[in-house]
Amino acid sequence: MTPPYDFAMETQPQAQPHTPGKAGGKSHRKPPGNPQGGPAAGARPLRADAERTVATILEAAERTLGRDPAATMEQIAEAAGVARTTVHRRFATREALVDALAVWATRRFAAAVEAAHPETAPPLVALYQTTANVLAIKAGWGFAMSQASSSNPEVAHIHADVRSTCERLFARARDAGVLRADVDIPWTRGVYYALIHQAAQRKDEQDPDALATLVVDTLLRGAGTPHPDRL
Amino acid sequence: MTPPYDFAMETQPQAQPHTPGKAGGKSHRKPPGNPQGGPAAGARPLRADAERTVATILEAAERTLGRDPAATMEQIAEAAGVARTTVHRRFATREALVDALAVWATRRFAAAVEAAHPETAPPLVALYQTTANVLAIKAGWGFAMSQASSSNPEVAHIHADVRSTCERLFARARDAGVLRADVDIPWTRGVYYALIHQAAQRKDEQDPDALATLVVDTLLRGAGTPHPDRL
DNA sequence: ACAACTTGCAACACGGGTGATGCAAATAGC
DNA sequence: GCTATTTGCATCACCCGTGTTGCAAGTTGT
């Protein structure tokens, strides 16, 4: 599922590929810092170089898992140019790594949506801007964004938040006459997500603005002729 | 993962989860019959009960892998009500099983599309019918259909075929005035696939006809108001 | 410069999934 | 009914990925 890509997908199951040693021992010595881990500011912060290593690993993980969701820790480590044990030092388990990746990307995602002022800007403007911002994020964080159905509460919460923000935006658009009065908002939101995903797939990456125009245009007008008496 | 779902998706990589023993020994005794395997009509055909077993396994595989793409052979065997070794007897490797499943479903898929006479029926009629038929297949063969990017040449070929059939249908629709004259056909096809996928996700499964109407309607009209002077 | 921290490397334990076999019992097909 | 096929079961070998440890060498920060 490879699977199922969040802001554009919504497939249900989506199991994390490969987790053999799930019954292995527990970490005896947890990593000191808390790389993108949240407000748990208990432990001593990482040294500068270590912090850099964490970022390098996360970026490598995104690239590697993006190509192959079942990639091993070894492959990720190689892509990051570090030893496998170092990856384990920073992320106790594979799950922890994927989780951290999801949190990292999800935060950027939420920020990108918020930056478009979807709650206050005129519906059409907000729609274009949100689309462009999200596309920019999805371009480089495809895998991480596919972890929307993460077990991580923060990730889940943010996505739920964005989801409702999106539906509120659509409701405003409808009230403003941009969307038809009888639209099925949940369905439309799903279609919108799917269009964004579709646009993000375009390898011949155009600039986010052109793609955003394409997405919004398609969402609003569809592909049919203006008003033929079809049916 | 769910992953990337063929007739509605198109995500590139999509690796098959979990393939540890890839360097294991080779099968010493290949299964006699060729379950959905193609024209290689060399070996003796399977006995009736064995043929039935093959079908049972494939159905169980679809159900099981649909819930969890990383399900083990053991789980699939259990779902099929047979011993794990029996599964291995019919499908030498896990890959072979998934492959056979993909071929099986893909053929039904192609048949469903063909049954809608997409090349000859009036564009709008063909569009509705194709959509309804495909949705009916996708409802029960979600996992198998997600294997579109299979390495299997037959699967790839069929999907490429359907792809072009679809684009030809769109071209006819455009020429008939159903689609705007300036539509980007590849993009529209992608959107169409995405809409079908989106519709297939609806758990509150409605009948294929209602969903087909929703999909076609959305594709043609979009969600915007008829013709406001937006922009 | 010195102490604390970080990394690479080599080695190990572990568990799980895969695939192979042989045999006895059940079943299909003629 | 007889034979060939099929299945379940009990085993076994194997490989791979994960997670742990200990230590020497290199880096950071003060």
Side-chain angles (χ1 to χ4, degrees):
Chain A
M1 43 203 203
T2 227
Y5 283 73
D6 69 321
F7 200 89
M9 283 305 87
E10 302 189 359
T11 288
Q12 34 285 122
Q14 168 71 335
Q16 198 54 225
H18 207 271
T19 311
K22 70 172 61 169
K26 61 279 295 184
S27 342
H28 57 121
R29 183 183 48 167
K30 299 169 100 171
N34 78 322
Q36 327 299 336
R44 181 202 316 89
L46 290 180
R47 218 170 66 180
D49 55 346
E51 202 80 57
R52 217 177 311 134
T53 300
V54 168
T56 304
I57 293 173
L58 285 173
E59 283 158 19
E62 163 57 39
R63 264 179 290 131
T64 309
L65 294 172
R67 288 199 210 89
D68 173 11
T72 69
M73 295 292 261
E74 177 77 58
Q75 294 174 287
I76 295 172
E78 187 185 348
V82 301
R84 186 175 65 88
T85 46
T86 297
V87 177
H88 275 103
R89 240 191 294 266
R90 294 302 158 212
F91 304 96
T93 70
R94 183 186 213 283
E95 191 189 348
L97 169 57
V98 174
D99 214 64
L101 190 58
V103 171
W104 210 30
T106 301
R107 286 181 180 167
R108 295 187 178 210
F109 169 57
V113 171
E114 202 47 47
H117 305 293
E119 311 272 18
T120 54
L124 248 187
V125 173
L127 193 52
Y128 272 102
Q129 201 54 58
T130 301
T131 306
N133 289 1
V134 169
L135 279 172
I137 294 290
K138 276 208 78 165
W141 299 91
F143 173 79
M145 298 287 288
S146 79
Q147 300 302 305
S149 53
S150 167
S151 58
N152 182 300
E154 182 178 355
V155 172
H157 181 265
I158 291 181
H159 270 94
D161 249 24
V162 172
R163 190 200 203 81
S164 63
T165 295
C166 182
E167 301 203 350
R168 275 196 300 277
L169 170 57
F170 282 166
R172 282 207 302 132
R174 180 197 53 203
D175 297 343
V178 173
L179 294 185
R180 281 198 299 278
D182 66 334
V183 286
D184 175 336
I185 291 196
W187 163 256
T188 304
R189 186 192 54 77
V191 169
Y192 176 55
Y193 275 32
L195 288 177
I196 286 183
H197 182 68
Q198 197 60 32
Q201 294 306 123
R202 296 207 130 185
K203 306 168 193 188
D204 51 321
E205 50 176 330
Q206 304 176 8
D207 69 309
D209 285 320
L211 285 178
T213 300
L214 182 60
V215 167
V216 175
D217 228 54
T218 303
L219 179 67
L220 297 182
R221 299 166 53 205
T225 44
H227 38 272
D229 28 37
R230 76 173 92 84
L231 244 192
Chain B
M1 125 68 138
T2 0
Y5 281 77
D6 70 321
F7 201 90
M9 282 307 85
E10 303 189 358
T11 286
Q12 23 303 115
Q14 169 71 333
Q16 198 54 227
H18 208 270
T19 310
K22 70 171 61 169
K26 60 279 296 185
S27 340
H28 58 121
R29 183 183 48 165
K30 298 166 103 172
N34 79 323
Q36 326 298 337
R44 182 203 314 91
L46 289 180
R47 217 169 67 180
D49 55 345
E51 203 79 58
R52 216 178 312 133
T53 300
V54 167
T56 303
I57 292 174
L58 285 174
E59 284 159 19
E62 164 57 39
R63 262 178 292 131
T64 309
L65 293 173
R67 289 198 209 89
D68 172 11
T72 69
M73 296 293 259
E74 178 75 56
Q75 293 175 288
I76 294 172
E78 186 185 349
V82 300
R84 185 175 67 88
T85 47
T86 297
V87 176
H88 274 104
R89 240 190 295 266
R90 296 301 157 214
F91 304 96
T93 69
R94 185 201 164 79
E95 190 188 349
L97 170 57
V98 173
D99 214 62
L101 189 59
V103 171
W104 210 32
T106 302
R107 286 181 180 168
R108 294 189 178 210
F109 169 58
V113 171
E114 203 47 46
H117 306 291
E119 311 271 16
T120 55
L124 246 185
V125 174
L127 193 54
Y128 272 102
Q129 202 56 57
T130 301
T131 306
N133 288 1
V134 169
L135 279 171
I137 295 290
K138 277 209 76 165
W141 298 91
F143 173 78
M145 296 287 287
S146 78
Q147 301 302 304
S149 52
S150 167
S151 57
N152 183 299
E154 182 177 353
V155 172
H157 181 265
I158 292 181
H159 271 94
D161 250 25
V162 171
R163 190 200 203 82
S164 63
T165 295
C166 183
E167 301 202 350
R168 275 196 301 277
L169 170 56
F170 281 166
R172 283 207 302 131
R174 180 198 52 201
D175 297 343
V178 172
L179 294 186
R180 281 197 298 278
D182 66 335
V183 285
D184 174 337
I185 292 195
W187 163 256
T188 304
R189 186 193 54 74
V191 170
Y192 177 54
Y193 276 31
L195 288 176
I196 286 182
H197 183 66
Q198 198 60 31
Q201 294 306 123
R202 296 206 130 185
K203 305 168 191 187
D204 50 322
E205 50 175 328
Q206 305 177 9
D207 68 309
D209 285 321
L211 286 178
T213 299
L214 182 59
V215 168
V216 175
D217 228 54
T218 303
L219 180 66
L220 297 183
R221 298 167 53 207
T225 42
H227 37 274
D229 27 36
R230 79 173 89 85
L231 244 191

